[in-house]
Amino acid sequence: MDVPGSCYYTRDHLWVRPAGNEAEIGVTDFYQEELGDVILVDLPDVEDEIEMTSSFGVLKSDKAVVDLTAPVSGEIVEVNADLVDSPELVNEDPYGEGWLLKIEISEPGQMESLMTPGEYESYIADLGGGEE
């Protein structure tokens, strides 16, 4: 499983890649494998506010429909419009072209509650999915 060192992770298998006061958010490689082929991505609009631990969107795959839970609070500054016509990007490139949205973080201290790459690797290994 790919676990980039530039990201922080949630127990719900989302990654957060901070850049100043903004952050990019997406689905981890582990999670996209678990979900199977993503066939629909439903995301909020630019300028919407999301709150940490609240639902902000839905992924539908050939195996499941899952709510996405916000890893941090903030205002959405960009949504990956490519996912409307190409939801498979979530599977093909989860840390690159398959990113979900970018937010302006409203409470930077919330980042401290996220897992480091090493912690996430241990977490998915405990779930039976990681390779050490």
Side-chain angles (χ1 to χ4, degrees), residues 5-132:
S6 59
C7 301
Y8 293 88
Y9 300 87
T10 71
R11 294 189 177 282
D12 296 329
H13 308 289
L14 295 182
W15 56 262
V16 179
R17 183 181 296 130
N21 64 341
E22 291 188 358
E24 199 171 52
I25 297 171
V27 174
T28 66
D29 188 30
F30 173 82
Y31 200 42
Q32 67 83 19
E33 286 273 338
E34 293 285 302
L35 288 172
D37 294 335
V38 175
I39 55 177
L40 175 76
V41 181
D42 183 23
L43 297 171
D45 297 319
V46 171
E47 296 185 359
D48 282 1
E49 295 279 337
I50 60 173
E51 291 293 322
M52 183 180 190
T53 71
S54 65
S55 175
F56 71 87
V58 174
L59 282 185
K60 183 176 182 183
S61 74
D62 59 357
K63 294 182 185 177
V65 176
V66 295
D67 283 327
L68 299 168
T69 303
V72 291
S73 300
E75 180 182 326
I76 297 170
V77 294
E78 189 176 349
V79 173
N80 188 348
D82 293 340
L83 298 180
V84 173
D85 294 324
S86 302
E88 68 277 2
L89 290 172
V90 172
N91 297 111
E92 295 169 1
D93 192 8
Y95 300 106
E97 292 183 27
W99 62 276
L100 301 176
L101 47 84
K102 295 179 184 176
I103 68 167
E104 185 173 330
I105 301 170
S106 60
E107 298 180 44
Q110 291 176 338
M111 292 292 295
E112 295 172 17
S113 68
L114 303 177
M115 289 183 270
T116 65
E119 290 168 338
Y120 184 69
E121 285 175 344
S122 295
Y123 177 65
I124 59 176
D126 290 345
L127 296 175
E131 298 168 32
E132 294 294 314

